[in-house]
Amino acid sequence: MKLLAGLLCAHAVAAGSTNSTAVDKILVAGDSWGTVLAGGSAANLSFLSRKLKQHGCPNEVTNIAIPGTTASQWSTGNYLATLTKAAPNHSHVWVTLMGNDAMEEMPSCASSGKTSAECGDQLYSSMLNKMGTIIDAVHEANPSAEVVGMGYEMMFGGAGCGIVPASIFPQCWKGEADENDESAIRCFNEQVIRMQAVWDQLDTEREYVTALNILGLTQMVDGDEKAKVGAPNMEKLGPSWAWPVYEGCIHPGVAGAPKGSGEDSASMIVMEEMYSQYWSAEFGC
């Protein structure tokens, strides 16, 4: 554990989290959504920094996100210590978590004999507690920091990716996973969006928290007339071009987007929506 703490702290220092002022600086913490969308270097800007730069927004970003990590991990110990050490040096903290908790915990919940709804209740309760712990710790470390987050998007649409949702909530499928089984997909989506409900509840309870909602975004861009931002088509997964196998079925694609979208990738489509819903007002850009 001491080695892990040293690596985490070294990562934070290398990323610039020891800056003396927090004005218009963004801290990104959490899982691989943070590394895919907000990872980068001086030579190659991240999707987040590219989008902010496009709109003339402040784009000094510190990224301490670690792929594969969970809210359970970030709510205690060395992960939480690293986050609270970095928070005072940033005006905004984007936290992206809960997906790996669902992937780790829901299969065993299903094997215990609980229904999908019962497991969804378990996920919601656990995540509300752990995410609350994380966000409250950030606020205690830096009372002026604004915290932002979202419950991901409608994912898993890449070819062959249907096996992933069927492994998370197997109760929803009868027999083999079928990516075109609309009733099974609705059952799955009804529980997955509980992560958005966690953010909505945190937003309601804490004035320094903003919950964004991008559910249905890539479905809408794909031309699904039943979907709009914040109101997804619950009987469909995300479109295949947006959630490819090369990104593990769970991250927005980093290349290729429909003509007319105005972007070069699903990642930039997601970042444009985040800009529209949040950064534009926060930074006045």
Side-chain angles (χ1 to χ4, degrees):
M1 293 300 290
K2 289 182 179 179
L3 176 59
L4 174 60
L7 289 172
L8 287 173
C9 290
H11 183 97
V13 170
S17 65
T18 55
N19 292 322
S20 60
T21 178
V23 177
D24 292 345
K25 293 182 179 178
I26 302 167
L27 176 66
V28 180
D31 57 26
S32 55
W33 259 55
T35 56
V36 169
L37 292 169
S41 66
N44 297 293
L45 293 177
S46 69
F47 294 104
L48 172 61
S49 291
R50 280 175 57 197
K51 182 54 64 176
L52 292 172
K53 186 177 181 180
Q54 272 185 15
H55 290 288
C57 302
N59 57 70
E60 188 167 343
V61 179
T62 300
N63 191 333
I64 60 172
I66 300 174
T69 55
T70 64
S72 299
Q73 290 173 310
W74 283 92
S75 64
T76 187
N78 293 315
Y79 287 93
L80 188 60
T82 299
L83 176 57
T84 55
K85 181 178 179 180
N89 304 313
H90 298 83
S91 60
H92 295 76
V93 182
W94 175 19
V95 179
T96 170
L97 284 168
M98 295 189 275
N100 290 313
D101 298 85
M103 294 178 74
E104 289 184 7
E105 298 174 13
M106 291 301 94
S108 61
C109 180
S111 67
S112 73
K114 292 183 178 180
T115 66
S116 59
E118 289 171 334
C119 288
D121 289 343
Q122 177 179 307
L123 179 66
Y124 176 83
S125 178
S126 174
M127 291 300 97
L128 186 62
N129 177 269
K130 288 167 183 173
M131 292 297 290
T133 296
I134 294 166
I135 289 168
D136 288 344
V138 169
H139 184 63
E140 183 176 353
N142 182 3
S144 65
E146 297 292 328
V147 179
V148 62
M150 65 187 83
Y152 302 100
E153 222 295 61
M154 313 306 284
M155 303 180 275
F156 307 113
C161 290
I163 192 171
V164 182
S167 69
I168 300 172
F169 282 99
Q171 311 97 311
C172 293
W173 275 264
K174 297 177 177 63
E176 294 185 6
D178 181 356
E179 297 175 14
N180 298 311
D181 186 337
E182 293 185 349
S183 63
I185 292 171
R186 170 173 283 278
C187 169
F188 170 78
N189 285 337
E190 284 173 348
Q191 303 314 319
V192 168
I193 65 172
R194 303 295 292 278
M195 291 183 284
Q196 179 65 47
V198 170
W199 274 110
D200 292 342
Q201 186 63 33
L202 294 169
D203 184 322
T204 298
E205 296 173 348
R206 296 161 173 84
E207 63 180 10
Y208 52 90
V209 174
T210 299
L212 310 183
N213 188 337
I214 67 168
L215 296 174
L217 169 64
T218 55
Q219 292 177 333
M220 183 186 71
V221 172
D222 192 56
D224 189 335
E225 295 182 354
K226 294 183 179 180
K228 61 181 179 180
V229 178
N233 182 343
M234 295 291 285
E235 296 179 342
K236 298 291 183 181
L237 299 171
S240 59
W241 59 267
W243 308 98
V245 176
Y246 71 77
E247 280 298 335
C249 308
I250 59 174
H251 308 118
V254 300
K259 291 182 179 179
S261 68
E263 304 291 351
D264 61 14
S265 64
S267 288
M268 285 297 275
I269 288 170
V270 170
M271 289 296 90
E272 174 64 22
E273 185 62 28
M274 190 179 192
Y275 161 78
S276 297
Q277 289 191 26
Y278 189 69
W279 303 119
S280 58
E282 287 296 301
F283 294 145
C285 52

